[in-house]
Amino acid sequence: MVTRVALHSPNGEVSRPAGAVGRIVSVLGDLKHAYHVAFPDGSRSAFLRRDLEIARHHRNPEPPEPPDWTQWVQYRCIVGSRAFGLDTETSDTDRRGFYLPPADRHWSLWDLPEQLENDATQETYWEVQKFVSLALKANPNVLECLYTPLVETATPVAEDLLGMREAFLSTLVYQTYNGYVLSQFKRMQADLRNHGEVRWKHVMHLIRLLLSGISVLEQGEVMVHVGEHKPHLLAIRRGEVPWAEIDAWRLDLHARFDTALTRSRLPERPDYERVNAFLIRARRSMLEVQA
């Protein structure tokens, strides 16, 4: 602990200045002297809680009141079931996107939040560098943000990014999408054996993910709306399709994915240089914006 007040001798002289470091050795019952603190020289003194500070807090600057970061959201879109065309009357409206604060905020002592979340409104916004980093790794949630037709807000910075969204596409999609579905189906098969049930909505979205990944490799863009597959996918969601039939479809899609990989014209890696150039442009655009 670090003391906030000085200790004085009976004649009024400062016997121990404020800022002295010690450790709490006991908590006293007397509310006026709540803590006994031992100092390196072996002496002890009693302090009120308000007169002590945790050492690591004392060393770190007190952060200012955080702003409403959402005021700098540059891109806001609707994803999830409503964008996929798989929504029902009870479906939430999931909003995603990215924010980019003024340069002064980015350069300050205090870190920016990588992610802004509001569970009540089903909104998530990533800081722009986090957003593009996830997209470069072929994160399905972020790639779908770039290709959803349901865009609510797009500033010039966001329009710049959307205009080069193909730079994020590569055959990394195969490893990301395919690998995730494989691991999840293995887990679901264990759930069926052990519990006799699975989450059918999750099963539906895994099949949809395979369809979307195949579309990326075959057509060079992320399929968001499921189109002609909607009736079959909704039947899976309702639990009306036998597991054996779902698994057969899944295995067929894996085979198509394998073939699509061998024939794809996409590069092995995304265009890091182009995306980096965008990020620098985006940061520079916020130089004169007031924090």
Side-chain angles (χ1 to χ4, degrees):
M1 304 297 290
V2 177
T3 61
R4 291 171 175 250
V5 296
L7 295 180
H8 295 81
S9 64
N11 62 10
E13 295 181 354
V14 175
S15 59
R16 192 175 302 278
V21 177
R23 62 184 179 87
I24 293 175
V25 292
S26 63
V27 180
L28 306 178
D30 181 358
L31 295 180
K32 292 184 178 180
H33 301 92
Y35 298 94
H36 248 157
V37 176
F39 295 100
D41 62 5
S43 63
R44 298 186 179 192
S45 298
F47 291 86
L48 295 173
R49 177 63 185 90
R50 65 170 180 264
D51 294 332
L52 298 171
E53 187 175 17
I54 297 173
R56 68 174 180 274
H57 294 171
H58 183 77
R59 290 192 297 267
N60 295 326
E62 186 71 22
E65 187 70 22
D68 175 14
W69 298 102
T70 60
Q71 67 183 294
W72 296 304
V73 167
Q74 308 288 324
Y75 183 58
R76 179 182 289 107
C77 64
I78 296 175
V79 294
S81 295
R82 296 195 184 281
F84 304 146
L86 297 170
D87 53 301
T88 64
E89 293 180 356
T90 59
S91 294
D92 294 324
T93 300
D94 300 315
R95 290 180 170 86
R96 301 289 183 269
F98 69 85
Y99 82 102
L100 174 62
D104 285 356
R105 291 284 179 181
H106 183 70
W107 292 334
S108 76
L109 280 174
W110 295 277
D111 293 334
L112 302 175
E114 285 193 337
Q115 187 169 311
L116 311 175
E117 290 186 274
N118 188 328
D119 292 335
T121 59
Q122 297 296 307
E123 292 181 83
T124 300
Y125 304 104
W126 293 275
E127 197 277 326
V128 64
Q129 184 172 346
K130 181 68 172 181
F131 183 88
V132 298
S133 295
L134 289 171
L136 288 168
K137 294 175 182 177
N139 179 287
N141 295 324
V142 178
L143 290 182
E144 286 162 5
C145 285
L146 292 172
Y147 281 84
T148 179
L150 305 180
V151 176
E152 293 185 330
T153 301
T155 67
V157 169
E159 292 286 0
D160 186 8
L161 184 61
L162 292 174
M164 50 168 282
R165 60 189 180 181
E166 72 280 357
F168 294 96
L169 301 184
S170 72
T171 56
L172 286 178
V173 165
Y174 177 84
Q175 288 82 22
T176 304
Y177 286 43
N178 215 16
Y180 179 71
V181 174
L182 281 169
S183 66
Q184 291 299 301
F185 260 86
K186 183 177 181 181
R187 181 176 300 177
M188 287 182 176
Q189 287 165 341
D191 289 341
L192 278 175
R193 288 194 303 270
N194 299 328
H195 308 292
E197 61 180 13
V198 295
R199 291 184 296 129
W200 295 111
K201 180 179 178 180
H202 189 42
V203 175
M204 175 193 72
H205 281 300
L206 290 173
I207 295 295
R208 181 199 60 77
L209 195 62
L210 285 177
L211 291 166
S212 180
I214 291 168
S215 172
V216 174
L217 296 186
E218 290 183 343
Q219 301 173 28
E221 66 176 81
V222 179
M223 182 192 81
V224 178
H225 195 284
V226 298
E228 63 184 20
H229 303 291
K230 178 177 180 177
H232 200 179
L233 289 170
L234 288 178
I236 292 175
R237 178 175 181 161
R238 294 190 295 266
E240 298 171 354
V241 183
W243 178 261
E245 183 178 330
I246 296 171
D247 203 36
W249 190 15
R250 191 260 308 184
L251 292 172
D252 178 66
L253 291 175
H254 279 307
R256 279 187 58 192
F257 219 159
D258 291 343
T259 301
L261 177 64
T262 63
R263 297 176 179 176
S264 181
R265 295 183 179 181
L266 290 179
E268 290 186 1
R269 295 288 185 273
D271 193 337
Y272 296 106
E273 291 185 4
R274 190 176 176 193
V275 174
N276 186 59
F278 157 77
L279 185 58
I280 292 172
R281 287 197 304 275
R283 294 255 190 259
R284 285 175 174 164
S285 73
M286 301 301 286
L287 283 173
E288 303 301 326
V289 177
Q290 294 298 312

